[in-house]
């Protein structure tokens, strides 16, 4: 039987013996010493400064390392769930950003999904400040009222644009609405027209109708590119423009335009460009005004206007002829501008009319409306006849009497 009490030196030597034999089992060393296996184990623990029953240091470190790994796995799983939620939110939000105001769309998305995800979470994901969202929500009532007003204005704009045969741009639409008592800014009209896809018609390429007769006598330039007049029935410009007809013979339009009111005083249409065409237009102007005595008639150097027949008609009507330089469209810019407006607002991008009848009817309708309804930028967005009624009552009275 072994001793019940061992000296401290014996215990220290027993531990040293165990440590000197790497790989030896505690049971084997204890048998050699004649001590109980558990007794030797307790001596070894005491020498290491550990109490019996306490796990070894390496075991404790392993446990601590396992806890750290578990915490990292938990955090990683949480982050994955957050990213999956963020992905799902952005997928839903994508349907809100097809067009329009991005800020409004983000606010609306937060409003629609806040119960499920919360305002803070949604604002963080969408890059939206919460103050902006709450301001947007506070002003919802006023915003809805503005939208109703905007929709009503858009409907009126469509009506004006339709009544102009789709030709009016923002300036003339603005003038038309103002004449109806609407206090509106032209920039707002332009913005709404862009939003609803409306615009005025644009200029097309010109077709040459002026063929100068260089041998014919030339009249002096009495206009000098001053396309204004202090009174009606004092200065006129005239020109010929080409009316293309698909698969048929083209038509030609000759005009006589008053430089004071921009009124189309006379016009004629024919399937030729002979001198009779411009004579008929001048005769129509004389009927409109009652008399053209003393008025200036300014044209280009087309052979129709330089002809002897046209000169005689001008003399008999008391009209003084005037001509700009050869080949200079700027010297007859007012007439050129009228022709351009006529073409773009009747053809509207088409290459020509389908028939002569269609061309004549379209021209008749536009030329009549030009005088009575179409707003002119140089007349303060009034029609020529409205301008004459406001500022030249005597002249228009004479025209009606004729």
């Amino acid at each position: 039987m072994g001793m019940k009490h061992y000296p401290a030196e014996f215990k220290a030597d027993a531990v040293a013996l165990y440590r000197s034999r790497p790989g030896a089992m505690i049971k084997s060393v204890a048998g050699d010493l004649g001590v109980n296996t558990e007794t030797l184990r307790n001596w070894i623990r005491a020498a290491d400064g550990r109490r019996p029953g306490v796990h070894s240091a390496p075991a404790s470190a392993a446990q601590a390392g396992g806890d750290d790994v578990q915490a990292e796995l938990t955090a990683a799983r949480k982050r994955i769930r957050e990213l999956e939620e963020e992905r799902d939110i952005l997928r839903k939000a994508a349907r809100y950003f097809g067009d329009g105001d991005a800020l409004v769309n983000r606010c609306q998305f937060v409003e629609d999904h806040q119960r499920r995800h919360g305002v803070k979470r949604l604002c963080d994901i969408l890059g939206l400040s919460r103050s902006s969202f709450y301001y947007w929500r506070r002003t919802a009532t006023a915003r809805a009222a503005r939208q109703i007003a905007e929709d009503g204005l858009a409907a009126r704009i469509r009506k004006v644009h339709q009544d102009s045969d789709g030709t009016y741009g923002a300036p003339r639409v603005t003038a038309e609405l103002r004449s109806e008592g609407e206090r509106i800014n032209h920039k707002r009209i332009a913005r709404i027209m862009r939003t609803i896809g409306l615009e005025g018609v644009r200029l097309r390429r010109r077709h040459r109708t002026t063929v100068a007769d260089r041998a014919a006598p030339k009249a002096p330039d009495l206009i000098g590119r001053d396309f204004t007049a202090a009174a009606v029935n004092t200065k006129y410009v005239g020109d010929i423009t080409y009316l293309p007809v698909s698969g048929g013979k083209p038509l030609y339009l000759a005009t006589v335009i008053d430089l004071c009111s921009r009124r189309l005083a006379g016009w004629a249409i024919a399937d030729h460009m002979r001198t009779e065409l411009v004579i008929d237009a001048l005769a129509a102007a004389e009927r409109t005004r009652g008399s053209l005595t003393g008025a200036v008639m300014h044209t280009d150097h087309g052979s129709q206007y330089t002809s002897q027949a046209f000169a005689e008609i001008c003399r008999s009507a008391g009209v003084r002829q005037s001509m700009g330089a050869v080949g200079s469209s700027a010297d007859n810019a007012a007439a050129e501008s009228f022709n351009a407006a006529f073409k773009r607002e009747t053809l509207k991008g088409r290459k020509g009319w389908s028939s002569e009848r269609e061309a004549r009817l379209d021209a008749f309708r536009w030329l009549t409306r030009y005088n009575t309804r179409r707003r002119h930028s140089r007349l303060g967005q009034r029609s020529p006849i409205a301008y004459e009624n406001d500022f030249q009552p005597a002249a228009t009275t004479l025209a009606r009497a004729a």
Side-chain angles (χ1 to χ4, degrees):
M1 177 181 295
M3 294 184 296
K4 293 185 179 179
H5 301 285
Y6 297 93
E9 293 84 356
F10 182 86
K11 294 178 182 179
D13 289 341
V15 171
L17 177 63
Y18 168 73
R19 289 177 175 171
S20 69
R21 297 170 62 183
M25 301 292 292
I26 292 179
K27 182 177 180 180
S28 174
V29 175
D32 292 341
L33 296 173
V35 299
N36 186 275
T37 302
E38 191 61 31
T39 297
L40 178 57
R41 181 177 284 111
N42 288 336
W43 293 346
I44 295 170
R45 289 173 179 167
D48 291 338
R50 292 178 286 123
R51 293 190 305 274
V54 177
H55 295 294
S56 64
S60 299
Q63 181 64 36
D67 292 342
D68 291 342
V69 171
Q70 186 62 38
E72 290 177 0
L73 287 174
T74 301
R77 291 189 185 103
K78 180 180 178 182
R79 181 55 180 160
I80 289 172
R81 288 194 298 272
E82 290 175 350
L83 291 173
E84 288 176 343
E85 181 186 43
E86 182 173 333
R87 177 201 62 194
D88 294 340
I89 289 172
L90 290 174
R91 282 178 176 174
K92 294 176 183 177
R95 294 193 291 269
Y96 283 68
F97 300 107
D99 53 23
D101 191 314
L103 177 61
V104 170
N105 291 336
R106 282 183 288 172
C107 290
Q108 188 62 58
F109 180 81
V110 174
E111 177 73 13
D112 294 345
H113 296 82
Q114 60 175 316
R115 290 185 180 275
R116 179 173 179 180
H117 301 288
V119 171
K120 183 178 185 303
R121 175 71 169 146
L122 292 172
C123 287
D124 288 344
I125 292 174
L126 298 179
L128 175 68
S129 69
R130 279 179 285 172
S131 60
S132 296
F133 167 71
Y134 289 123
Y135 174 80
W136 177 85
R137 191 159 64 179
R138 284 198 310 272
T139 58
T141 301
R143 190 169 55 254
R146 286 196 301 270
Q147 187 59 51
I148 291 173
E150 194 97 333
D151 292 342
L153 181 57
R156 292 194 293 276
I157 289 173
R158 283 193 180 94
K159 179 66 167 53
V160 172
H161 190 261
Q162 182 180 0
D163 289 346
S164 74
D165 290 337
T167 62
Y168 276 9
R172 288 191 173 92
V173 171
T174 303
E176 190 71 30
L177 292 176
R178 285 176 178 171
S179 72
E180 298 172 0
E182 186 79 41
R183 298 183 63 182
I184 192 70
N185 184 279
H186 73 279
K187 293 182 180 179
R188 186 181 179 193
I189 296 295
R191 174 179 57 78
I192 294 176
M193 289 185 69
R194 286 194 299 270
T195 301
I196 61 180
L198 297 181
E199 62 178 2
V201 294
R202 301 182 183 277
L203 182 64
R204 286 183 57 85
R205 182 176 60 86
R206 293 178 61 248
H207 180 87
R208 183 168 181 256
T209 54
T210 300
V211 179
D213 182 357
R214 299 185 181 277
K218 306 298 188 294
D221 186 352
L222 305 178
I223 295 293
R225 297 189 182 182
D226 177 14
F227 301 107
T228 62
V232 300
N233 199 24
T234 57
K235 293 166 66 177
Y236 292 91
V237 292
D239 199 10
I240 300 173
T241 192
Y242 166 79
L243 280 62
V245 176
S246 300
K249 190 175 182 180
L251 299 177
Y252 298 90
L253 168 68
T255 54
V256 179
I257 303 166
D258 192 307
L259 286 179
C260 176
S261 65
R262 290 304 198 272
R263 181 174 183 172
L264 181 62
W267 55 277
I269 295 179
D271 59 0
H272 60 81
M273 286 197 300
R274 295 191 295 272
T275 303
E276 301 96 277
L277 177 65
V278 296
I279 289 176
D280 289 344
L282 187 63
E286 190 173 22
R287 290 193 298 271
T288 298
R289 291 307 193 193
S291 172
L292 297 177
T293 302
V296 172
M297 179 64 182
H298 184 80
T299 66
D300 59 26
H301 283 264
S303 58
Q304 303 89 348
Y305 295 112
T306 58
S307 66
Q308 185 63 35
F310 185 73
E312 291 176 359
I313 291 296
C314 287
R315 280 194 295 271
S316 65
V319 171
R320 293 181 294 161
Q321 278 190 274
S322 171
M323 294 180 186
V326 176
S328 175
S329 60
D331 284 353
N332 202 20
E336 298 280 356
S337 176
F338 175 91
N339 291 340
F342 167 76
K343 285 290 197 56
R344 70 173 175 265
E345 295 184 12
T346 52
L347 285 174
K348 300 176 186 177
R350 295 176 296 168
K351 292 183 178 180
W353 286 271
S354 61
S355 66
E356 179 181 327
R357 174 178 171 78
E358 182 189 27
R360 286 181 179 274
L361 289 177
D362 274 3
F364 174 77
R365 184 170 187 268
W366 190 91
L367 296 171
T368 303
R369 285 168 56 91
Y370 170 85
N371 278 337
T372 60
R373 295 188 58 182
R374 185 183 182 279
R375 297 180 180 275
H376 202 295
S377 58
R378 295 184 67 92
L379 305 178
Q381 296 296 359
R382 285 166 289 191
S383 70
I385 287 181
Y387 179 84
E388 289 188 357
N389 288 339
D390 289 343
F391 295 95
Q392 305 288 338
T396 51
T397 299
L398 178 60
R400 290 195 192 95

